[in-house]
């Protein structure tokens, strides 16, 4: 409704008894308009008087049909009704698409799996129990083989170990390929499993991740379809029941090898200060800011620490690991990136925090996370036992360490690309997949980030005409929480759609944060080019960024130390807030 019309509104007057009218509820029920919008956009109501059943005179607020019909043409109302009509039509299509998705389940993989002749060996046990080691030793004797793991760093570690032991090995990940002449083994992240090749041996690591809603479909597909005579599946105990049942549906023979932890693991209590720290400790934080602040505080107190966190490029992380192994540093400060099998000679794991941000909210660590991370303590052959300690809420860590984790009940199934060939709009295909009815035995791959990236491309022409290409682009790994990286992704995707040269990143390398953005942007460019079959020549530049990060890591770290926002006091390791205790509890003026 226009501003001029609002000025002309007058209080309601009495209305003729014979004039046709409707109440607020009647208008809302008839036209589907919220009552709040009617009050805001319609002219002032009029008063109608009537006699109730007891003969008492009553009144109610009504609108005449003449005014209702006029109000229905106001811009705000027409826009709302048009949007509502579109949503109703969209929901009908979503219901149709949801029925289409009913046919997609693990059954489509299982039928193919029945045709492969394989024997499965389940390696089951906690961290540091030799599961992966035994599987790899068998693969060394029975090549050609493939190692399939969750992290690029693990694929790189396996690549190094294989070549060092005299078994030629290549590495293939989303970020880079290292090809060794005459390679008998391929080490890769699980998403890049080559299903066209036949192997004598395949090793699938960290298979409990089959239930992960973002990446679990890669484990499901690998277990069902990797073509190998012997398939070793390494997993935490909570995954055995489900994976055993899955493999049984193939009709393939299998047997289980139970692994016990090679060195005992104990809870060591609470760490109270720097005087309780020892060389060889690993301190666990749950944010980049905490990692850098903790590292700076340690170095200020005479320790030298290697740094491992998710935003750090893989090559830079590898350099940090190497420094610790060579004795250039005597401690490790890491996020939970350390939990997935990175082999370090750590005796004690110390939790500096007990909460982490999982992308949606801050929450307490799960039992699985405590055991996965804490289990890195006490490397077999170097330590008689491992020890887990805490700087925060020690009883919680003690209660969860060693506790049995609830068994996995479902696997994750990938979004079916086949539906891209239907006539339904791509946005609706993704939305319907998210809303489709849950099925027993599997969860649907989470495509929220793909939906977000698709919305970011809405002003680019040709999205529906090139939907297979668009789907390849929007499923590229992009940190959607970073406006800078999303913006760079849009520029690259637009260039690809318009058949132009993909732009180079320009975030610079002045600071550590600049370097991290620059490296991630180069990674986005590499992933996009790989998906459209264009060679990427940025490896030299990415390595230069890693070298620059190593330089920055050696510089004065005191700038990363956190201070109280009110009084400026230096905050200790593990501080959950940006205030010291005195200011947090209101002892400082101005809080």
């Amino acid at each position: 409704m226009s501003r001029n019309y609002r000025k002309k509104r007058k209080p309601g007057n009495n209305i003729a008894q014979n004039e046709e009218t409707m109440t607020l509820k009647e208008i809302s029920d008839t036209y589907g308009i919220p009552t709040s919008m009617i009050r805001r956009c319609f002219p002032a109501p009029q008063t109608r008087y009537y006699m109730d059943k007891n003969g008492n005179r009553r009144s109610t607020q009504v609108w005449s049909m003449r005014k209702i019909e006029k109000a229905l043409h106001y811009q705000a109302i027409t826009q709302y009704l048009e949007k509502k009509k579109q949503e109703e039509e969209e929901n009908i299509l979503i219901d149709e698409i949801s029925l289409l998705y009913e046919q997609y389940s693990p059954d489509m993989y299982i039928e193919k799996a029945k045709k492969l002749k394989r024997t499965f060996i389940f390696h089951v046990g906690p961290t540091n129990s030799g599961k992966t080691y035994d599987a790899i030793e068998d693969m060394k004797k029975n090549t050609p083989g493939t190692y399939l793991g969750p992290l690029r760093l693990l694929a790189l570690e396996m690549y190094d170990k294989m070549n060092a032991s005299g078994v030629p090995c290549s590495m293939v990940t989303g970020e880079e390929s290292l090809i060794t002449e005459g390679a008998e083994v391929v080490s890769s992240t699980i998403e890049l499993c080559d299903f066209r090749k036949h192997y004598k041996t395949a090793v699938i690591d960290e298979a409990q991740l089959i239930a992960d809603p973002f990446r679990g479909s890669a484990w499901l597909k690998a277990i069902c379809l990797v073509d190998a005579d012997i398939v070793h599946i390494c997993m935490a105990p909570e995954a055995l029941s489900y994976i055993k049942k899955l493999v049984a549906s193939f009709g393939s023979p299998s047997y289980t090898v139970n692994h016990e932890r090679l060195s005992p693991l104990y809870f060591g209590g609470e760490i109270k200060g720097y005087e309780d720290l020892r060389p060889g400790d690993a301190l666990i934080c749950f944010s980049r800011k905490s990692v850098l602040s903790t590292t700076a505080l340690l170095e200020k107190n005479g320790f030298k620490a290697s740094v491992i966190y998710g935003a750090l490029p893989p090559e830079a992380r590898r350099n940090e690991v190497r420094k610790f192994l060579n004795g250039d540093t005597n401690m490790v400060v890491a996020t939970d990136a350390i939990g997935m099998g990175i082999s370090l000679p750590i005796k004690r794991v110390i939790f500096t925090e007990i909460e982490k941000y999982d992308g949606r909210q801050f929450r307490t660590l799960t039992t699985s996370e405590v055991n996965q991370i804490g289990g890195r303590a006490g490397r077999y052959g170097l330590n008689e036992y491992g020890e887990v300690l805490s700087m925060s809420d020690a009883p919680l860590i003690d209660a969860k360490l060693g506790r049995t984790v609830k068994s996995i009940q479902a696997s994750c199934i990938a979004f079916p690309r086949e539906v891209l060939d239907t006539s339904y709009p791509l946005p609706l295909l993704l939305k319907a997949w998210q809303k489709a009815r849950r099925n027993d035995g599997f969860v649907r791959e989470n495509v929220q980030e793909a939906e977000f990236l698709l919305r970011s491309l809405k002003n680019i022409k040709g999205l529906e005409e090139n939907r297979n290409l668009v789907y390849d682009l929007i499923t590229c790994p992009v940190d959607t929480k970073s406006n800078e990286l999303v913006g760079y992704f849009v520029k690259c995707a637009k260039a690809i759609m318009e058949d132009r040269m993909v732009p180079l990143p320009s975030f610079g390398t002045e600071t550590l944060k600049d370097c991290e953005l620059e490296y991630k942007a180069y990674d986005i460019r590499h992933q996009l080019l790989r998906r459209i079959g264009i060679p990427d020549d940025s490896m030299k530049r990415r390595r230069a960024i890693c070298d620059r990060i190593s330089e920055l890591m050696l510089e004065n770290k005191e700038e990363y130390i956190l201070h109280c926002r009110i009084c400026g006091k230096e905050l200790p390791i593990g501080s959950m807030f940006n205030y010291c205790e005195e200011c947090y509890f209101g002892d400082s003026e101005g809080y």
Side-chain angles (χ1 to χ4, degrees), residues 12 29 47 62 73 151 153 170 175 232 236 246 266 276 287 304 320 336 338 347 374 420 473 502 505 511 565:
D29 291 344
T47 303
V62 297
H73 290 89
L151 301 174
L153 202 59
S170 293
E175 294 169 298
H232 295 269
L246 175 66
Y266 302 107
D276 293 335
S287 70
K304 291 183 178 180
E320 292 295 301
D336 46 356
I338 200 175
K347 183 175 182 179
L420 297 178
L473 300 182
V502 178
T511 67
R565 286 187 175 180

Side-chain angles (χ1 to χ4, degrees), residues 409-426:
Q409 301 296 321
S411 58
C412 175
I413 186 169
F415 176 84
R417 289 194 62 132
E418 297 90 335
V419 300
L420 297 178
D421 296 329
T422 65
S423 60
Y424 296 109
L426 180 55

Side-chain angles (χ1 to χ4, degrees), residues 314-367:
E315 189 61 34
R317 273 183 271 173
R318 188 186 185 194
N319 290 337
E320 292 295 301
V321 169
R322 188 184 296 115
K323 285 192 289 186
F324 183 71
L325 295 174
N326 293 341
D328 298 326
T329 58
N330 57 11
M331 299 187 84
V332 173
V333 181
T335 61
D336 46 356
I338 200 175
M340 283 294 173
I342 299 174
S343 298
L344 292 171
I346 298 166
K347 183 175 182 179
R348 306 198 309 171
V349 165
I350 302 168
F351 288 91
T352 66
E353 308 168 35
I354 51 94
E355 289 189 345
K356 65 175 286 187
Y357 184 71
D358 62 7
R360 293 170 296 179
Q361 61 183 352
F362 281 97
R363 60 166 176 78
T364 304
L365 296 176
T366 66
T367 299

